[in-house]
Amino acid sequence: DNSFTPYDGQIKFSEEGLHMLRFKAVDPVNNWSPVQSFRIYVDLTRPVTQLSWAGDHHWNEGQLFVSPKANLAMVANDNLSGVSKVVWKNGEGKFHDYRAPMSFDKEGAYQFSFMAVDNVGNHETAQVQPFIVDGTAPKSDVSIQGNVHKMGGKIYTKLGAQLVLTAMDGSSGVKKIEMQVNGMGPQRYERPMVLDKKVSKVQFRAVDNVGNAEKWQDYVVHVATDATTTRLDPWLL
């Protein structure tokens, strides 16, 4: 609604929102063209991108750990001119156009940068998401609380001793320990197992927080239930 001013070759719009532009021309003998107009919406707002993981991922002590089998998807939103593209890069190098969910097979630390660009050239401030790809299974171990004796390649203990399972994982952390006893189906290990059978055949493994599972380990323990007897041989007197 401002007064007409001479056109100097460019018009700059510094405020976001809807603008009405009116214009007309005049020839050297002062003939004026009809006033024409059009509307223009100025978009100065940057788009916003969000990451989402499909698959196992876990925060541990402020670090994000992901499985090599997980897929990373990026979704950008722009309520004005719309999203033109999303770009990404890992560490040093140029930005690449994002086209489909991505996976990261190589173990290690990543510095993943990303941003969106809208249809009028507004660039999102580049975001950085560090994460660690964890493809290593945890390690579990077994011990007996009680007297243990090894003889003839077998492990013996007394009735009432307890079998204890532990596990370690230096990345995403241990999620659970699983066990199978004497062919029974897998169950979650919750507490030490009291040994009350003559023979206990135990299989066990650990699983971490991004789904890496250790191979099943085997452990067989025998419980000595027969009391030891002692007699005096009179012929030795």
Side-chain angles (χ1 to χ4, degrees):
D1 295 326
N2 294 330
S3 301
F4 283 98
T5 58
Y7 173 65
D8 62 2
Q10 62 179 2
I11 302 174
K12 184 177 181 179
F13 298 92
S14 58
E15 294 184 5
E16 187 172 74
L18 182 64
H19 297 261
M20 174 70 75
L21 179 66
R22 297 181 297 140
F23 60 95
K24 61 182 179 178
V26 61
D27 66 15
V29 294
N30 212 33
N31 293 311
W32 289 93
S33 69
V35 175
Q36 300 181 66
S37 64
F38 69 89
R39 294 183 178 185
I40 181 172
Y41 196 101
V42 177
D43 175 9
L44 302 176
T45 300
R46 299 173 180 178
V48 177
T49 308
Q50 292 183 331
L51 300 183
S52 63
W53 290 94
D56 291 312
H57 59 287
H58 178 73
W59 286 93
N60 185 18
E61 296 183 354
Q63 291 184 306
L64 175 61
F65 293 87
V66 301
S67 166
K69 299 178 182 178
N71 289 325
L72 173 62
M74 293 185 282
V75 178
N77 292 302
D78 188 276
N79 294 326
L80 297 177
S81 61
V83 176
S84 171
K85 61 182 178 179
V86 178
V87 296
W88 65 273
K89 69 176 179 180
N90 175 41
E92 298 301 324
K94 297 180 179 180
F95 278 103
H96 306 278
D97 289 352
Y98 169 75
R99 302 188 184 280
M102 309 164 61
S103 61
F104 302 87
D105 299 329
K106 185 179 179 181
E107 281 194 274
Y110 290 76
Q111 290 290 329
F112 189 78
S113 301
F114 60 97
M115 67 177 179
V117 183
D118 69 13
N119 284 301
V120 294
N122 293 310
H123 288 68
E124 178 184 18
T125 301
Q127 302 186 60
V128 179
Q129 175 61 74
F131 60 87
I132 298 172
V133 176
D134 175 12
T136 301
K139 176 64 177 177
S140 59
D141 199 7
V142 60
S143 62
I144 300 294
Q145 287 184 350
N147 294 329
V148 176
H149 178 67
K150 295 182 180 180
M151 183 177 65
K154 295 182 179 180
I155 300 172
Y156 293 88
T157 188
K158 65 179 182 179
L159 182 68
Q162 294 184 333
L163 182 143
V164 179
L165 299 178
T166 57
M168 295 290 294
D169 187 271
S171 294
S172 60
V174 177
K175 181 179 181 180
K176 61 181 177 180
I177 301 175
E178 296 179 324
M179 62 186 299
Q180 302 181 71
V181 181
N182 294 330
M184 301 293 289
Q187 58 182 308
R188 188 167 186 148
Y189 173 78
E190 301 286 356
R191 60 185 63 85
M193 169 187 165
V194 177
L195 298 170
D196 55 4
K197 293 181 174 56
K198 202 162 188 178
V199 180
S200 294
K201 298 179 180 179
V202 181
Q203 290 182 299
F204 59 95
R205 70 175 183 179
V207 182
D208 69 14
N209 283 298
V210 294
N212 296 307
E214 179 186 20
K215 291 183 179 179
W216 287 101
Q217 299 190 61
D218 297 312
Y219 187 81
V220 180
V221 59
H222 299 257
V223 172
T225 57
D226 297 329
T228 302
T229 58
T230 304
R231 69 184 181 85
L232 180 64
D233 190 340
W235 296 101
L236 298 177
L237 297 177

